[in-house]
Amino acid sequence: MANRGGFTSKLGFIMAAAGSAVGLGNIWGFPYEVGQGGGAAFVVIYLIFCFILCYPVMVTEIAIGRKTQKNPVGAFNDLGFKGWNIVGKLGIFSGVLILSFYNVIAGWAFGYIFEMIAGNFAVADKFGEYITAVFKVGLYGLVFMSVTAYVVSKGISGGIERAARLLMPTLIIMMLTLVIYSLTLPNSLDGLSFYLIPDFDKLTPSVIYNAMGQAFFSLSLGMGALITYGSYVNKSDNIISSAAFITLADVGIALLAGLMIFPLIGFMSEGTMEGAARGPGLIFVTLPQIFGSIGGGLGIAAGTTFFVLLCFAALTSTVSLLEVPVAYVVDELKVRRNRAVWLVAGFIFLIGIPSLIGNGYSDFFSTSFITYKEGGQDTDFLSFVAALANDSILPLGGCMIAFFASHIWKKHNLDEELAQGAPGYKGSFIQKYLNFAIGYFAPAVLATVFLFTVLFKFFGVHVF
Ligand code: PFF
């Protein structure tokens, strides 16, 4: 077991797990989901899901990982329930899917560093052209995947931990500065009210399903990433408080991203909020405007720094996404780590190609790739894969992980693991809540949401 490596300190694990959670999901995904989901109503539902449902699932994943010190498939085998390793396999499958499209977005963000250095803020107006130049953005993606693979090949404490420690605090400071700046712009308050004052008339079933998917995606849950990271955690660490910190950090940064972007949309739209529902291109169109409005050398410096930090946030997430299939291939298929890393990364890059070319370059994979039954909505390949993985497979995975821990592995075993490193856990309110949430609440809600989402999104069946 010793040669698997581990985190060198408690802070190392927390920072790495928070690094996994904080990424494009917070800064790219959250604002565009809020924009499409009608604003503050989405935010409220999202927060509820994060704290009352996702936090218990996170605690469970880390506990299973630490108990077994295995990858998501090995973990179920190790606990003696081989049949359940299907949950781990599903997780690895969704990790591969997620990384395949995530890397495409990361490639776009990476390319923006050079656009900012060149002072080309007008890239925002030509974003459509930018993403159809697939050879250029594809190359950025290839570089990004290679850096990810390099970090993962260096192992846990050498690569992942060191990268995460320094960059997260810097990102937060940078975002706070931008929030303050965007709040000084005219019409910013219209953006703020769109973002913070809920209009529950906008609460449709799909807002609820998307909020659930977004919460799972953003917290890196439901696919065993945190089982894998948990497998490197010390027995003396407190899982309960670590998971609370990770959840708070992740939600906090998503909220900050919204505070940065919606006032800016208020400014640009002169208060109408037109463009808020633009979708996946949202930050790529709005953010250059903020830097352009600062202008000159300061605008260039701010823009460049921001996209460098965004890429680092994305990198700590891609690293965790790649670590999941790699840990599986190393542990279960006995492939050498280095070889496993490059093979898996290459494979995932290849299956990401339809996501890369499906943004205008290839007609087949673009907007009309699939037409959902629901409302006849045309969808491109990338959005389809994202919906499949985030909104369907992750909640299903979370549901099965919670159910498994409580009813198959058994509650008292889970409690035993959680109590290690957490004095005072036994008999506490949090123990009672977790027992209820992991055993009943999360499985029931998640199973329902999964079922409704699939029926609604892919088959056009309205349950309510
Ligand atoms: N949580 C990451 C983000 O918000 O960008 C994405 C992610 C990483 C999802 C790792 C799932 C995962 F296992």
Side-chain angles (χ1 to χ4, degrees):
M1 205 67 76
N3 64 1
R4 295 184 79 242
F7 290 107
T8 52
S9 66
K10 176 180 159 96
L11 197 66
F13 161 68
I14 292 185
M15 293 308 267
S20 165
V22 175
L24 295 173
N26 308 60
I27 297 165
W28 157 75
F30 178 74
Y32 102 66
E33 294 274 6
V34 174
Q36 286 190 327
F42 178 96
V43 180
V44 173
I45 301 298
Y46 173 78
L47 291 176
I48 295 174
F49 280 149
C50 284
F51 290 110
I52 66 171
L53 262 168
C54 293
Y55 169 73
V57 175
M58 181 183 288
V59 164
T60 314
E61 281 202 28
I62 301 174
I64 293 177
R66 185 174 72 175
K67 172 75 191 172
T68 58
Q69 318 238 307
K70 285 278 158 53
N71 66 81
V73 171
F76 290 96
N77 295 346
D78 204 67
L79 292 173
F81 304 98
K82 272 210 157 63
W84 279 83
N85 78 22
I86 181 81
V87 180
K89 290 184 176 148
L90 196 66
I92 289 166
F93 173 68
S94 61
V96 167
L97 278 188
I98 291 175
L99 184 53
S100 77
F101 74 78
Y102 197 94
N103 189 66
V104 171
I105 316 285
W108 297 350
F110 183 54
Y112 259 49
I113 296 176
F114 306 105
E115 302 294 336
M116 295 297 112
I117 291 177
N120 182 21
F121 305 118
V123 65
D125 308 323
K126 301 198 196 89
F127 181 67
E129 280 169 43
Y130 175 78
I131 53 176
T132 33
V134 293
F135 292 98
K136 189 166 105 176
V137 286
L139 187 66
Y140 293 137
L142 190 62
V143 173
F144 205 89
M145 185 65 94
S146 307
V147 177
T148 304
Y150 177 77
V151 176
V152 175
S153 73
K154 289 287 148 209
I156 285 298
S157 59
I160 301 176
E161 188 176 331
R162 205 171 322 149
R165 266 190 193 199
L166 180 72
L167 296 160
M168 292 263 299
T170 323
L171 178 69
I172 295 176
I173 294 169
M174 176 98 199
M175 287 177 74
L176 273 173
T177 316
L178 289 175
V179 168
I180 294 168
Y181 177 76
S182 57
L183 284 174
T184 63
L185 297 169
N187 298 105
S188 58
L189 289 185
D190 295 310
L192 209 57
S193 68
F194 173 83
Y195 181 45
L196 296 179
I197 302 176
D199 169 2
F200 286 107
D201 287 345
K202 293 189 177 151
L203 208 60
T204 59
S206 75
V207 168
I208 298 175
Y209 307 149
N210 291 346
M212 172 69 92
Q214 174 61 22
F216 265 79
F217 176 67
S218 186
L219 290 164
S220 302
L221 290 178
M223 50 160 274
L226 293 178
I227 295 184
T228 308
Y229 271 25
S231 74
Y232 303 108
V233 172
N234 289 323
K235 286 286 178 200
S236 57
D237 287 350
N238 185 332
I239 295 179
I240 303 291
S241 62
S242 300
F245 174 84
I246 296 163
T247 307
L248 282 171
D250 188 66
V251 169
I253 292 189
L255 290 177
L256 262 186
L259 276 180
M260 191 171 77
I261 285 171
F262 290 106
L264 195 65
I265 301 177
F267 164 64
M268 280 161 21
S269 65
E270 295 178 348
T272 64
M273 294 311 282
E274 201 187 305
R278 175 189 308 277
L282 188 64
I283 67 157
F284 293 99
V285 176
T286 51
L287 284 179
Q289 317 256 356
I290 201 174
F291 303 118
S293 79
I294 298 173
L298 190 60
I300 291 182
T304 308
T305 317
F306 182 83
F307 281 101
V308 168
L309 290 171
L310 179 62
C311 285
F312 275 111
L315 183 66
T316 50
S317 302
T318 51
V319 157
S320 72
L321 282 161
L322 184 59
E323 176 67 24
V324 175
V326 165
Y328 168 70
V329 171
V330 171
D331 287 353
E332 306 298 312
L333 308 180
K334 311 283 180 232
V335 178
R336 267 192 310 116
R337 187 169 178 94
N338 218 15
R339 178 178 298 185
V341 169
W342 292 99
L343 279 177
V344 175
F347 172 72
I348 296 178
F349 181 79
L350 289 180
I351 62 167
I353 287 178
S355 296
L356 172 72
I357 62 177
N359 301 288
Y361 181 80
S362 144
D363 284 344
F364 179 74
F365 290 113
S366 295
T367 329
S368 51
F369 174 69
I370 193 169
T371 303
Y372 288 156
K373 283 272 173 26
E374 165 55 24
Q377 197 194 339
D378 283 340
T379 305
D380 60 278
F381 185 83
L382 191 155
S383 307
F384 168 69
V385 177
L388 183 69
N390 304 357
D391 303 344
S392 322
I393 305 180
L394 296 184
L396 176 66
C399 170
M400 296 203 283
I401 288 169
F403 182 85
F404 168 82
S406 201
H407 302 285
I408 310 293
W409 181 34
K410 299 283 186 233
K411 196 164 78 192
H412 65 268
N413 289 318
L414 175 66
D415 269 341
E416 220 42 66
E417 188 59 35
L418 290 175
Q420 284 204 47
Y425 171 68
K426 289 226 167 123
S428 65
F429 167 75
I430 187 82
Q431 182 194 16
K432 292 192 183 78
Y433 179 67
L434 287 177
N435 281 341
F436 162 71
I438 298 167
Y440 307 99
F441 189 53
V445 175
L446 290 171
T448 313
V449 171
F450 167 75
L451 209 69
F452 285 11
T453 304
V454 172
L455 286 174
F456 176 79
K457 262 213 158 110
F458 302 119
F459 297 98
V461 178
H462 291 257
V463 184
F464 72 91

